Amino acid sequence: NAGVMQNPRHLVRRRGQEARLRCSPMKGHSHVYWYRQLPEEGLKFMVYLQKENIIDESGMPKERFSAEFPKEGPSILRIQQVVRGDSAAYFCASSPLKIALRGLDEQFFGPGTRLTVL
Amino acid sequence: QKEVEQDPGPLSVPEGAIVSLNCTYSNSAFQYFMWYRQYSRKGPELLMYTYSSGNKEDGRFTAQVDKSSKYISLFIRDSQPSDSATYLCAMSASSGAGSYQLTFGKGTKLSVIP
């Protein structure tokens, strides 16, 4: 039973290039979340997606960042024209359909993609 | 003031010691309180969670929540070298957008010395 998969694990980009980060949720999970962990900071929520829908992107920077979760294939976090401040670890998490009685909708995290912008 | 405050450490203890990890928070809407463990270069892994106030025990781990003080703790008894990791507290509200947006502390790095 594979966990959440993220690739690449490490990504180096020069300023102005594009970064594409991929996330394959756990089997049977239909909810995907992206978090960013800046150096010396806690994980910060960026976006919540279901298949073909962005549910909440309130944590995403307004410019240069976009996310998608197509009907087929992994979720993609795309950062255009990267800057040094984008250097961080980007974590994807997934969860199954919420089971009302259980309460907490546990999010399972992937190993992260570490983005370095030169 | 940050929503969740957590002492980043590092914290170094001898094997067998009792470890106490703590977080404070400011948002009264938080109802779920979680502790994640993150090994180096890995993703966070849910260790325990509690709903509202009280204690919860799971083996060597005890999670405590005091909503009146907005203070949560994780205790590790008989600590082992394999417990060496970064421990993250996280919180969420019980409904609406706050229920899926986890708010994390910065994490406390723990080293258990054999």
Side-chain angles (χ1 to χ4, degrees):
Chain A
N1 185 16
V4 178
M5 312 274 281
Q6 287 188 253
N7 68 80
R9 294 293 307 274
H10 301 273
L11 183 60
V12 179
R13 285 287 178 266
R14 296 191 180 279
R15 280 180 298 169
Q17 291 184 320
E18 179 179 287
R20 281 188 178 234
L21 288 62
R22 294 175 189 77
C23 168
S24 296
M26 285 180 71
K27 189 175 180 180
H29 287 194
S30 56
H31 302 237
V32 166
Y33 315 83
W34 285 92
Y35 290 81
R36 177 166 67 172
Q37 187 175 34
L38 292 167
E40 310 302 321
E41 294 291 326
L43 280 83
K44 295 284 194 293
F45 168 82
M46 298 181 75
V47 62
Y48 164 34
L49 309 108
Q50 295 178 18
K51 286 281 187 183
E52 300 183 281
N53 280 307
I54 297 174
I55 307 301
D56 181 355
E57 56 182 351
S58 60
M60 288 262 277
K62 294 287 183 273
E63 296 176 352
R64 302 187 297 108
F65 285 72
S66 62
E68 63 176 9
F69 188 16
K71 189 176 180 181
E72 301 290 337
S75 175
I76 306 283
L77 179 68
R78 183 182 177 207
I79 311 172
Q80 295 178 288
Q81 299 175 323
V82 296
V83 300
R84 289 222 174 98
D86 297 333
S87 295
Y90 292 82
F91 290 94
C92 166
S94 72
S95 67
L97 286 173
K98 191 177 180 75
I99 300 172
L101 292 178
R102 192 176 69 185
L104 180 70
D105 195 15
E106 182 178 347
Q107 295 179 22
F108 295 80
F109 282 81
T113 293
R114 277 152 186 84
L115 172 65
T116 301
V117 180
L118 302 177
Chain B
Q1 182 189 11
K2 288 187 182 292
E3 275 195 293
V4 178
E5 300 273 7
Q6 183 177 10
D7 186 343
L11 183 62
S12 186
V13 301
E15 184 175 352
I18 296 175
V19 176
S20 172
L21 303 166
N22 311 293
C23 288
T24 59
Y25 64 96
S26 58
N27 188 344
S28 299
F30 290 144
Q31 296 287 333
Y32 286 101
F33 303 92
M34 292 149 268
W35 287 95
Y36 281 81
R37 179 174 60 195
Q38 186 176 19
Y39 291 112
S40 182
R41 301 300 184 186
K42 303 285 187 185
E45 169 194 18
L46 183 64
L47 204 55
M48 294 182 72
Y49 77 91
T50 53
Y51 177 73
S52 199
S53 283
N55 289 8
K56 186 174 182 179
E57 191 173 317
D58 183 2
R60 296 184 296 110
F61 298 88
T62 299
Q64 228 174 48
V65 174
D66 181 349
K67 289 193 73 181
S68 62
S69 303
K70 294 191 174 67
Y71 188 89
I72 71 169
S73 300
L74 177 71
F75 297 97
I76 306 173
R77 288 185 300 281
D78 187 24
S79 55
Q80 303 295 309
S82 58
D83 295 329
S84 298
T86 296
Y87 289 81
L88 310 167
C89 63
M91 307 175 190
S92 67
S94 60
S95 62
S99 67
Y100 53 77
Q101 288 190 21
L102 301 182
T103 302
F104 283 86
K106 288 186 181 182
T108 300
K109 188 171 183 179
L110 171 68
S111 295
V112 180
I113 312 300

